[in-house]
Amino acid sequence: MRTDTRTADTGQDHAADTGRSGAAARRGRPRSEAAEQAIFTAVEDLMAGGTTMSELTIEGIATAAGVGKATIYRRWPNKEALLVDVVGKLEVPMPEPTGLGARADLVEMIDYMRRRGLAKRTRWVLKAALGEMHSLPELHNAYRERVVKPRREAGLRLIRRAMDEGVLRSDLDLDLLGDLLMGPILYRSILWDDSDLEDPDLARKMVDSLLDGLGPR
């Protein structure tokens, strides 16, 4: 019978990490990073094999990753927290500021959403994960708080900077501006599944079309 004690997990994790990361660990890559990657990969592989998010268990993930359950619980308090991080890693990373001013950063922000929409369409696991979240309230709420909310706040900070720089009108409500700027690309990437997101110039067209009406006179 398998016993998930801290001692057993430590030895098992060390062996698994050593065998999995090998040369990478010798180059200075922390074994904990290799273990986390193995856990992320295990979740993605399980879902790709048809396991739903509600069917995933810590025990099953640990077995697939070749680690002990304690290794997972040291990093995440529960399955929901782990799955939020997994989905976050599957998505397109947030862009860094361009350094070219608020308008350029607005274009980059909208283009990030365009690329995220494409990633959802082309990565079946990501699409399945985001789709299933609506039927898992606890996971959906955790995802909103840890992923969606920080990204929206980052977008609103950028919009406020655009207002301060005179790129956008300063007499409009900040949240309203956020909806006006981010709403169209979210509609195309989330609600309209067959919309054209392939155009790399789409973000610029959207931002410039809005600025024509939202820019100061």
Side-chain angles (χ1 to χ4, degrees):
M1 178 181 296
R2 180 177 174 180
T3 303
D4 285 312
T5 63
R6 185 174 298 274
T7 302
D9 281 333
T10 301
Q12 182 182 4
D13 295 345
H14 176 76
D17 292 345
T18 301
R20 201 180 306 276
S21 55
R26 288 193 292 273
R27 291 196 298 270
R29 184 187 187 201
R31 282 196 297 270
S32 61
E33 183 183 339
E36 287 185 7
Q37 184 56 53
I39 293 165
F40 289 143
T41 300
V43 174
E44 188 171 357
D45 288 347
L46 286 168
M47 290 195 66
T51 304
T52 66
M53 296 182 93
S54 60
E55 293 171 341
L56 287 171
T57 64
I58 293 295
E59 183 175 5
I61 295 168
T63 299
V67 302
K69 289 191 293 184
T71 298
I72 296 178
Y73 282 120
R74 279 196 294 270
R75 292 161 172 79
W76 297 278
N78 49 46
K79 183 182 79 170
E80 287 72 24
L82 166 58
L83 294 180
V84 167
D85 280 354
V86 170
V87 176
K89 285 182 68 69
L90 288 173
E91 294 190 1
V92 179
M94 284 282 287
E96 296 294 329
T98 64
L100 300 175
R103 178 198 165 278
D105 285 341
L106 286 173
V107 172
E108 185 61 27
M109 178 183 70
I110 302 303
D111 194 58
Y112 157 73
M113 295 179 182
R114 179 188 69 84
R115 290 181 282 112
R116 181 177 178 268
L118 281 173
K120 180 184 174 183
R121 293 181 185 179
T122 57
R123 299 195 67 175
W124 180 88
V125 172
L126 177 58
K127 183 175 183 177
L130 293 174
E132 286 183 43
M133 279 190 184
H134 294 287
S135 62
L136 301 169
E138 186 176 353
L139 180 57
H140 185 256
N141 290 337
Y143 180 77
R144 282 177 58 87
E145 286 298 313
R146 295 185 51 193
V147 179
V148 176
K149 186 176 178 180
R151 289 176 179 175
R152 176 172 173 79
E153 290 174 348
L156 292 179
R157 286 195 298 271
L158 173 56
I159 292 170
R160 181 179 293 279
R161 180 159 64 85
M163 294 168 70
D164 293 340
E165 291 183 11
V167 175
L168 292 170
R169 285 170 51 184
S170 60
D171 61 328
L172 296 177
D173 178 77
L174 179 65
D175 288 322
L176 175 61
L177 280 175
D179 293 341
L180 290 171
L181 282 162
M182 294 184 276
I185 192 63
L186 288 175
Y187 169 76
R188 284 202 174 195
S189 60
I190 297 176
L191 299 178
W192 185 10
D193 287 338
D194 60 348
S195 65
D196 181 17
L197 294 177
E198 300 288 346
D199 182 3
D201 203 33
L202 178 62
R204 184 197 62 77
K205 294 175 182 176
M206 283 186 164
V207 170
D208 285 348
S209 295
L210 285 166
L211 290 184
D212 285 343
L214 298 176
R217 294 178 180 177

